[in-house]
Amino acid sequence: MAGGTLMRYVDEFRDAEKARALAARIAQLCEPGREYKFMEVCGGHTHTIYKHGLEDYLPENITLVHGPGCPVCVIPMGRVDDAIHIARQPGVLMTSFGDMMRVPGGNGSFFDANARDTNIRMVYSPLDALAIARQRPEQRIVFMAIGFETTAPSTAMTLLRARAEGLRNFFVFANHVTIIPAIKAILDSPDLRLDGFLGPGHVSTVIGCRPYEFIARDYGKPVVVAGFEPLDILQSVYLLMRQLAEGRCAVENQYGRVVPWDGNPIALQAINQTMRLRPFFEWRGLGFINHSALRLREEFAEYDAELVFDVPGVRIADPKACQCGEVLKGVLKPWECKVFGTACTPETPIGTCMVSPEGACAAYYNFGRFSRQRVREASRV
């Protein structure tokens, strides 16, 4: 809704006049001399912000920083090497989302591995991998499952289908992570002070809004679950500013047209039926976080690539020149990294944040944000 009118079409969410009006209302809520810092958790939000120049609509004392909501960006290099190791086993075909194909590991990316006669194929969904398993019963087909709770249901439903069909040559190398422990790790970090969060829209379609309540209750930070269009982002910033101006701290759902407050119970049931929390998991830039990732339940052990194959469990430090970790924690802006836009580009990525379409560095590079300078859009009203 905008101005009491139901919005139905994409161009209505990209109306420049409405954007300027929202920017003016945000500016009115700013306290003189106060600096505001909000984290957009989701990489999709980052791309909307810089594709449409939304930061230029905001007052100078409002800063948006990026969080760990890009699923490819948080995969540590060792897990890439583990996947390549599995793919090199006799009779194995590894499958993966396209985002992962160029992510650098300690010994190169999946593309590099393929150039050395490894068999890793891009798929669009785990069901594609399952279809290959049906077509090639003589091969062992492994799906490298990545992503937050957004993509975990598709992996879960594929596992249930594989079991129902009795397929014995399909396996999952599980790397699904969960968003709440990562947000808590950031809140507990001494490196960063935040005034509020733009909550992730896609993850929230599955888990809902209720899991974020601890952020407001225990940490005194407002949260607004935000959509992905320009007016969604600006309205969410306005709602955060309004909470701060009124002295409130709550979870609000700006993306109500898509996100149910209690999430998707069918998707959550499928996840719980097939997966369980790991005791801990390594995140790029954040280190090991307790109960922050999923693995297959014992009932699905025959489909668990980590049990079926010899997986070395390699730990590899990020390249010293790469500062993806600081970017993922919101400590640095991408253009503050020493190799951003020079040695590290989308064509020659050093870190994961430059690889993924949801990575903050890729957003800054692709949309020309190479410095702190802003264009004062809001002042053109």
Side-chain angles (χ1 to χ4, degrees):
M1 301 288 287
T5 304
L6 182 65
M7 299 169 70
R8 297 176 296 168
Y9 304 108
V10 168
D11 58 349
E12 295 178 285
F13 290 89
R14 300 178 182 181
D15 187 299
E17 281 194 28
K18 290 186 175 72
R20 294 190 185 100
L22 274 170
R25 294 172 70 183
I26 291 169
Q28 290 172 1
L29 293 173
C30 288
E31 294 180 20
R34 179 174 177 179
E35 297 291 324
Y36 300 88
K37 185 176 287 188
F38 301 126
M39 173 174 281
E40 80 269 6
V41 176
C42 183
H45 289 153
T46 303
H47 276 252
T48 297
I49 289 164
Y50 293 100
K51 178 180 180 180
H52 296 279
L54 300 186
E55 195 177 48
D56 298 331
Y57 281 82
L58 300 176
E60 289 282 354
N61 58 335
I62 295 180
T63 301
L64 301 177
V65 298
H66 331 294
C70 164
V72 170
C73 302
V74 301
I75 295 293
M77 296 178 74
R79 296 295 282 187
V80 176
D81 283 10
D82 285 343
I84 293 172
H85 179 84
I86 294 172
R88 288 176 176 159
Q89 304 301 306
V92 170
L93 169 63
M94 174 69 71
T95 60
S96 167
F97 291 139
D99 291 26
M100 282 299 303
M101 297 298 292
R102 294 173 58 242
V103 173
N107 294 308
S109 67
F110 288 174
F111 278 139
D112 296 326
N114 279 345
R116 298 189 291 267
D117 295 326
T118 307
N119 203 358
I120 304 176
R121 176 184 291 191
M122 184 185 77
V123 294
Y124 289 101
S125 83
L127 288 173
D128 290 345
L130 193 67
I132 296 171
R134 292 193 201 100
Q135 296 161 6
R136 302 186 181 188
E138 76 285 357
Q139 274 192 300
R140 297 185 289 179
I141 311 303
V142 182
F143 175 66
M144 183 171 185
I146 66 163
F148 289 91
E149 292 94 338
T150 314
T151 54
S154 62
T155 302
M157 296 302 292
T158 303
L159 281 165
L160 291 170
R161 182 172 294 187
R163 186 172 70 174
E165 295 181 12
L167 287 175
R168 294 292 179 264
N169 66 323
F170 175 76
F171 310 93
V172 170
F173 181 43
N175 294 272
H176 286 298
V177 289
T178 56
I179 193 65
I180 296 301
I183 294 177
K184 188 175 187 306
I186 286 170
L187 285 164
D188 291 336
S189 171
D191 299 332
L192 191 61
R193 291 290 178 267
L194 298 169
D195 293 288
F197 290 87
L198 296 175
H202 292 147
V203 167
S204 302
T205 63
V206 176
I207 69 171
C209 301
R210 202 174 298 280
Y212 307 116
E213 290 178 344
F214 82 98
I215 302 173
R217 181 186 65 245
D218 300 338
Y219 291 89
K221 310 292 183 186
V223 180
V224 176
V225 175
F228 293 90
E229 291 298 326
L231 293 188
D232 288 328
I233 301 291
L234 289 173
Q235 186 182 41
S236 298
V237 173
Y238 167 75
L239 292 173
L240 286 172
M241 292 294 293
R242 189 175 68 177
Q243 283 199 47
L244 293 174
E246 295 173 355
R248 294 189 297 115
C249 189
V251 179
E252 293 186 86
N253 184 10
Q254 185 276 338
Y255 204 23
R257 67 184 185 274
V258 174
V259 174
W261 186 263
D262 289 311
N264 184 328
I266 295 174
L268 292 171
Q269 181 182 18
I271 295 171
N272 291 333
Q273 188 176 348
T274 56
M275 304 179 208
R276 61 180 174 84
L277 287 172
R278 295 175 183 267
F280 52 84
F281 192 75
E282 183 183 5
W283 292 55
R284 184 178 295 233
L286 297 174
F288 285 92
I289 303 177
N290 292 337
H291 304 113
S292 65
L294 300 169
R295 70 171 303 161
L296 273 57
R297 288 189 176 277
E298 288 78 3
E299 301 93 304
F300 291 84
E302 62 187 302
Y303 300 101
D304 190 341
E306 291 183 79
L307 298 178
V308 174
F309 299 95
D310 174 32
V311 180
V314 177
R315 283 202 66 200
I316 301 172
D318 289 340
K320 291 183 179 179
C322 176
Q323 294 181 283
C324 274
E326 287 81 358
V327 172
L328 288 168
K329 290 187 290 187
V331 176
L332 288 183
K333 291 281 194 176
W335 48 261
E336 295 177 294
C337 176
K338 297 174 183 177
V339 295
F340 172 76
T342 55
C344 186
T345 68
E347 290 73 32
T348 58
I350 294 176
T352 53
C353 294
M354 190 62 89
V355 174
S356 171
E358 292 191 17
C361 296
Y364 273 59
Y365 185 91
N366 290 331
F367 301 119
R369 181 68 71 182
F370 292 98
S371 69
R372 185 186 298 274
Q373 182 179 0
R374 294 187 185 181
V375 178
R376 293 268 38 93
E377 294 285 353
S379 65
R380 297 179 186 176
V381 181

